[in-house]
Each structure stands twice: as C-alpha cells, then as structure tokens.
Amino acid sequence: MINDPWKSLPRGEMRRVEEDGKYNYFWASLETGQSALILFLPLGLPPPKDIPKLRNMDLSYQALPQPIFMVALKDPSHRNIFSILCQNIVRAGELSKDAESAFNASIARARRWHFLLKAGSAESLSLEQQRGLVGELACLRTLIQTIGPAAAVEAWRGPEGASRDFELPNLVIEVKAKREGAKPFVRISSEEQLANFANGKLLLRIYDIQNAVQPEGFDLHDHVNQTLAMCRAHAQASLRMETLLAEVGYDSMDDYNGRRWIITRCRTFNVKEGFPRVVPPVLLGVSGITYNVAIDACEQYLCDTDPIECLELN
C-alpha cells in the first residue's frame, strides 16, 4: 500500500487496494472530491442493521447491483491519517475468515480509529484496562450462556459510557476486577454506579484476576476470542461485539501475547438497603464522587448462588 492512494486518482475513479487480496477493497475518489475506501460485498449478504455515525467520516452501506460498504472522509485536511486508518481497515478485513466477517471487521475498525481524527491516540490497553476488560468479558460470557448472545451483548453498556456495565430490563450489574492479593477494596467511580435501580435488582460482581508473564492461563486476545466465538452464530451480536470492543480501545493487532490473565474467584453481591455506598441525592454542587468500598463490609450481601446463572428475561 502507498501513503496517499488518492493522489493520482481522478474524481469518479477507483483502484483495487491489493491485486491479490482476498476481498474486494478499492481506493476511490468520489465525484464530490472525497477520498474513500470501498469494499464490494457478495450478493446475498444481509444488510447491516446498524452502522455507526461518526463525526469525521461517512460510513454507508449501499445496495447497488452489487452491495458495497464505503468509508468516506469528510475533511480533506485529515487525509494523511485517514490513509493510515483505511490501510488498517484493509489489514483487519484481509485477516477475516469470510466476506461477512471482513465487512463486520471493517465497521468495527473504522469505529476504533475514528477518534484519531479527533487527535486521539492508538495506544494499547494498560494492565488495569486489560484486567477490567477480562472481568467484563467473563460476566458477558455467563450472560450469553444464560440469556443468549443477542440479549447479553445488547445489555453490555459500559463501553458506551453507561453508569453500570450491564443493563437488563429488571437487572443491572456493575463489574469490578481486582488483582488477587490486592487490598480488599473496590473503587466506585461515581455516585450513580451503586445507586438504587427502580426497576429491579442491582448486583456488584467482583472478579479476582491474577496476571503473570507465564505460559499458563490466557492472554487478552484469548479472552476476547473466546467471547466472540460464543456470538458467532448471531450476526448482529457479533457486529455489536466488534463495535463495543473498539469502543473500549481493544485492537486485535496490538501485542498482548506476553501476559496471561487467570480468573481465580468471582463473588456477586446484592446491592440493597444498608449496602455500604454513596447514593444520590448528594449535596448541591458535589459531583464526580469516587470512593472505595471494603469488600469485608459487604459479606452479609454476598449471594449464595450465582443469580446470573439462573437469570430469566421477562
């Protein structure tokens, strides 16, 4: 691939990205003058139900005689970094097992990278971010086994900025991941996080997660792929999973192979009256509260059986 694939491309024309590529990615210079990347899709591939709307790029699906997915740049001043984004999309797509997976990977990768056009960065996840993601994925897998991939993935709201990690019609779940052997506290990041849930039950689920540079256990990619495999039979759940992973900053191209994550214990607490917490309303002018909760002080609220494993949707 070249640094500026649109430089010598006249308006209204396109050129294949890789002559020997598995999938039909094309550089395109649109009649409007916009630089674009186009993926030609096979006939019969179901159209997506949800394509994200991004501030600096137009993502679109068009059911032409042959359907296409297109990523077009809105602001030409960002063309250098847009070319890097498009090359990354193509690399991710070419690693996919089939055209539908390449399509989904292209959408997810565009979502993952769009913040670069807003002066962001593409750094790998920190150790604490990895630990937190491992915990949320563990909870998600339990939900998938209980209520199925579509409902479980739809309930994963933390990556979208929700106060709690999982939101169901009659249940919300806040997940915390702590280092095994660390001080017996968990950090609560807002006054809303453990606030009463009017429509049902609130659970605090705490995972003890050990990490080490060793051959035992699973690296972050393993935890992600195990979860994705549980969604593979449901196209919409798979697409949403890719999008949410992009939102938390996970990139399958990053190197996480040297560190293993082992879940050693999971405890679930029923957050109700008397549970140690700060809840709204707080004093006028006070906001952004963070505080620690001592796990020992929560013991009387510990669930004897896992309430998620016997969960039923209304």
Side-chain angles (χ1 to χ4, degrees):
M1 298 184 195
I2 55 180
N3 290 331
D4 188 348
W6 304 280
K7 186 174 182 180
S8 59
L9 197 59
R11 287 193 180 194
E13 296 192 11
M14 63 181 67
R15 180 179 63 251
R16 190 179 180 92
V17 175
E18 295 180 346
E19 290 300 327
D20 57 348
K22 289 170 58 180
Y23 304 110
N24 296 317
Y25 286 98
F26 283 79
W27 303 120
S29 179
L30 306 183
E31 294 289 354
T32 60
Q34 289 177 281
S35 302
L37 175 71
I38 295 177
L39 171 62
F40 283 86
L41 301 165
L43 294 173
L45 194 67
K49 294 182 180 179
D50 180 32
I51 289 183
K53 297 183 183 298
L54 307 180
R55 191 172 70 181
N56 294 299
M57 294 182 289
D58 284 321
L59 274 62
S60 62
Y61 171 86
Q62 300 175 27
L64 301 172
Q66 182 176 359
I68 65 168
F69 169 64
M70 181 169 65
V71 184
L73 179 64
K74 294 180 182 179
D75 184 349
S77 67
H78 293 304
R79 201 161 85 175
N80 285 341
I81 198 167
F82 182 63
S83 69
I84 298 172
L85 155 68
C86 290
Q87 292 172 35
N88 192 263
I89 289 174
V90 173
R91 282 197 298 271
E94 289 292 326
L95 291 173
S96 301
K97 60 182 176 61
D98 53 39
E100 184 175 5
S101 298
F103 180 26
N104 292 339
S106 297
I107 294 175
R109 194 53 56 93
R111 186 95 180 242
R112 163 74 174 97
W113 276 75
H114 86 277
F115 70 95
L116 284 177
L117 304 180
K118 300 185 292 183
S121 64
E123 295 180 355
S124 300
L125 296 175
S126 69
L127 291 181
E128 283 309 306
Q129 288 172 325
Q130 291 180 56
R131 191 193 316 275
L133 180 55
V134 168
E136 290 184 38
L137 291 174
C139 184
L140 179 58
R141 289 193 295 272
T142 302
L143 283 171
I144 291 172
Q145 292 172 336
T146 306
I147 61 176
V153 176
E154 181 63 30
W156 191 21
R157 299 300 179 119
E160 298 174 319
S163 297
R164 276 75 73 104
D165 294 308
F166 294 90
E167 297 180 356
L168 290 154
N170 58 349
L171 175 70
V172 292
I173 307 166
E174 176 58 26
V175 175
K176 297 296 180 184
K178 61 180 288 291
R179 179 172 56 84
E180 185 183 36
K183 293 181 180 179
F185 297 91
V186 290
R187 173 60 60 91
I188 308 301
S189 58
S190 73
E191 60 270 31
E192 291 86 14
Q193 205 161 67
L194 296 185
N196 292 326
F197 179 51
N199 298 324
K201 183 180 293 187
L202 167 62
L203 301 177
L204 175 62
R205 195 168 177 88
I206 302 175
Y207 291 91
D208 288 356
I209 302 177
Q210 174 187 352
N211 77 86
V213 181
Q214 58 184 28
E216 292 80 15
F218 301 98
D219 65 25
L220 183 60
H221 293 312
D222 295 328
H223 284 276
V224 168
N225 290 333
Q226 182 183 357
T227 313
L228 286 171
M230 298 175 71
C231 301
R232 195 156 290 142
H234 195 287
Q236 188 60 25
S238 296
L239 176 58
R240 178 169 168 80
M241 268 296 298
E242 295 279 0
T243 300
L244 294 175
L245 288 167
E247 283 294 313
V248 300
Y250 172 79
D251 189 332
S252 61
M253 306 293 285
D254 288 338
D255 184 6
Y256 295 116
N257 296 322
R259 188 168 297 274
R260 308 294 177 176
W261 299 94
I262 303 170
I263 299 172
T264 58
R265 181 166 57 162
C266 173
R267 289 165 288 176
T268 303
F269 300 88
N270 187 6
V271 180
K272 57 184 180 180
E273 191 67 31
F275 192 91
R277 54 181 170 159
V278 175
V279 297
V282 296
L283 292 176
L284 183 64
V286 176
S287 64
I289 296 173
T290 61
Y291 61 98
N292 292 336
V293 170
I295 299 175
D296 291 346
C298 306
E299 286 300 318
Q300 61 179 302
Y301 304 97
L302 181 65
C303 300
D304 295 328
T305 58
D306 191 340
I308 297 180
E309 291 183 352
C310 56
L311 179 65
E312 294 181 3
L313 291 180
N314 290 339

